[in-house]
Amino acid sequence: MDAPLLSDPPSTTTKASTFGRQIWVFAIAIPGLVLTTALSALLLRWASTTTTFTGAFYNNVINNRASFQLLVQCGNEVLIRRNKALSLVPAALWTGALTPVVATEVRDGDFSIPYYGPDPESKYWNQTTAGLDGVVNRSSYGSFSYNPTVTILGSLLDNAAVATAPNSLYQTHRKLDNTGYTFLGRSYGIGSSVGLAEVPWNDNLQSFTFLESGFMSNITCWYNYTMDFHVEQDLADNDGYPYMWSATGHLSDGGFEYIRMPGFGDSEVVALLGHNPQWGMATGQNASKYAQLNQTSCEVNFNKQTFVAAVDVVKQVISIQPVSNETGIANLTATSWNLDMSQLADNLVEEIGLMVSASGALIFSPLGGAFISNIANTNASQANGFLPSTLNISDLALHGIASSLESMIDDILIAFSSAQFIIAGENNNGRMSSHLTATLAAVKIGDERFIVCISIINAVIVLLFVFEAVRNRGWKSGTLFDYRDLKCLVIGTTLGGAENMRIVEKKLRDEERFWVANPADLTMGKLEIGMKSRGGALALVLGENKIDLELVERAGADEEGRIN
């Protein structure tokens, strides 16, 4: 046997090797695998249960995206540099698995909506039109009254003038308060408490839906040229200036209506009067620009209905859709379903008659202008393909009038329910709770694809570690030799000495080649590399095949392959 090349005896070297193996296994490999396994398992659980984070954590991530990305990157680098097990997984996968990703979180709660509760003293919604007390509640949210003609007449007419969208399927119109919300399509009088009632989790709220009961109003209009409802000069007051005009006569259903209006002439007189469920409209004989409105009869049908309101908080848009009554009754237990709501329906129809009195003018008719404007929108809508081409001029005019009236009814219903919510309030049967489903802005940790990928890779690494631990008998004869350390390579090959040199020279002679230190040169590609213990030191040796290195098994083996 060769003389020892190191001063330490073989037993000391073996102890050092065993100690080195223990450090690597117990201080680095096992803790590293425990860390990666626990981390990947946690991420996988969060991904499978769709765990999200909202509130302060979400706000910090969104407001400090660059800082969080830097934190993830730095943590990733520290883990990979200090843990060999982690370094087996590409850094990009860990970054993708640990980076916070924008997501949403769905929660259930309660939302306060208007409620037409018992009003036996007729102080709130159950007042008659003639008995309206004119109480107005004014705040930063807007003006609220059971007589919206007094408070928001201009806004009612503005929405009626654009009830039909000329270039889209659904028209948008402003909610008649100061909440800043807009309705997409008809409101049906639903959603008045949006922006007025508090919503849980308001900081990160993106959207929410809720159910609300109300009225489905459907209006049909037709021309009745035999209807005895007309405009005439009021002879009783003909000495005054300007003249007074009367809209008087019987409607299509036989009901009698009468109203007096001012005007320099009858060319600007438009009257719309009625009682539940019918209106009649008449214009002055010289009101040529309002000719499409003259002798129009319209009828409204009210049906109790449940609606679902979808609120986009970010865009401040409300969409209302009717749902089956069965669904509504199952989810809304308000006793308003059992009340006689006929007074409310009467007030809705008569409120439009009050608009005629309130909007009377000497030189033009605001009400007539709103109808004519929407008829023009109806014509444009047909030209743009949103209404059937089979509708003739009269059909389009009647469609425009009906949609304007539906807009007025919807907005008046919104005004009534807003007043019920604000003025009657919770203490006077003015509010109830509805189930709310909210979508909150949130973040989740990592992308599912990256999390699944690192979990699979980590599982493979653990299985390989266990397999190698069994195959190598727990690395009881492990070595401190590090192939990445230049000292180990230089010293190990030096100790291989002349034997390695002979093998290399033989290989070059056999191949008739010269070694030019090119890593791509395949001349030495078939040589095997192994280790031998020479006098207690580890030497790197070459062999032309694995059989030559049969005796090179573990650190600590002597030249004959026996374990020290």
Side-chain angles (χ1 to χ4, degrees), residues 26-306:
F26 293 105
I28 299 178
I30 292 179
L33 288 175
V34 170
L35 174 62
T36 56
T37 302
L39 187 58
S40 60
L42 179 62
L43 293 174
L44 196 60
R45 175 174 175 77
W46 281 348
S48 63
T49 57
T50 320
T51 300
T52 55
F53 302 90
T54 186
F57 183 74
Y58 167 82
N59 293 330
N60 286 330
V61 170
I62 295 302
N63 296 329
N64 303 281
R65 289 177 182 266
S67 299
F68 267 87
Q69 188 60 44
L70 180 62
L71 182 63
V72 170
Q73 199 66 34
C74 290
N76 201 13
E77 286 294 324
V78 170
L79 286 173
I80 289 175
R81 288 182 179 276
R82 293 184 174 272
N83 195 308
K84 293 182 180 180
L86 271 169
S87 65
L88 294 175
V89 182
L93 293 182
W94 280 111
T95 300
L98 294 172
T99 299
V101 179
V102 175
T104 57
E105 180 177 319
V106 178
R107 294 183 183 177
D108 294 324
D110 293 324
F111 183 65
S112 186
I113 61 174
Y115 169 42
Y116 294 104
D119 184 17
E121 298 181 7
S122 300
K123 294 177 61 177
Y124 303 105
W125 67 268
N126 204 27
Q127 303 176 61
T128 63
T129 304
L132 289 173
D133 56 18
V135 173
V136 179
N137 181 292
R138 291 185 173 89
S139 69
S140 59
Y141 291 114
S143 298
F144 305 97
S145 169
Y146 290 100
N147 187 0
T149 299
V150 174
T151 54
I152 55 172
L153 174 62
S155 297
L156 292 172
L157 293 175
D158 286 345
N159 280 349
V162 292
T164 301
N167 52 9
S168 64
L169 191 60
Y170 298 105
Q171 181 65 295
T172 59
H173 53 98
R174 185 176 68 88
K175 187 170 181 279
L176 302 184
D177 53 28
N178 296 335
T179 58
Y181 279 90
T182 297
F183 286 101
L184 177 61
R186 287 189 62 182
S187 71
Y188 301 100
I190 300 299
S192 62
S193 62
V194 174
L196 302 178
E198 292 185 1
V199 182
W201 330 290
N202 197 45
D203 288 344
N204 303 125
L205 189 63
Q206 287 190 322
S207 62
F208 63 94
T209 60
F210 63 93
L211 293 173
E212 184 175 338
S213 297
F215 290 100
M216 169 72 80
S217 61
N218 294 302
I219 296 176
T220 55
C221 294
W222 66 96
Y223 289 118
N224 183 1
Y225 296 108
T226 62
M227 177 177 62
D228 184 27
F229 183 57
H230 59 280
V231 173
E232 61 184 30
Q233 186 175 353
D234 193 331
L235 298 178
D237 250 357
N238 62 346
D239 293 334
Y241 188 85
Y243 296 115
M244 295 297 295
W245 303 88
S246 297
T248 183
H250 294 83
L251 306 184
S252 294
D253 63 358
F256 181 80
E257 298 291 339
Y258 173 83
I259 190 173
R260 300 177 73 193
M261 304 173 66
F264 289 116
D266 67 351
S267 61
E268 299 296 337
V269 176
V270 176
L272 174 68
L273 293 177
H275 47 267
N276 189 20
Q278 196 172 105
W279 296 282
M281 185 154 44
T283 65
Q285 293 183 0
N286 297 310
S288 57
K289 65 181 178 181
Y290 303 119
Q292 291 175 294
L293 309 180
N294 194 28
Q295 299 301 291
T296 302
S297 290
C298 295
E299 186 170 284
V300 59
N301 290 313
F302 295 108
N303 294 297
K304 290 179 180 179
Q305 177 72 50
T306 298

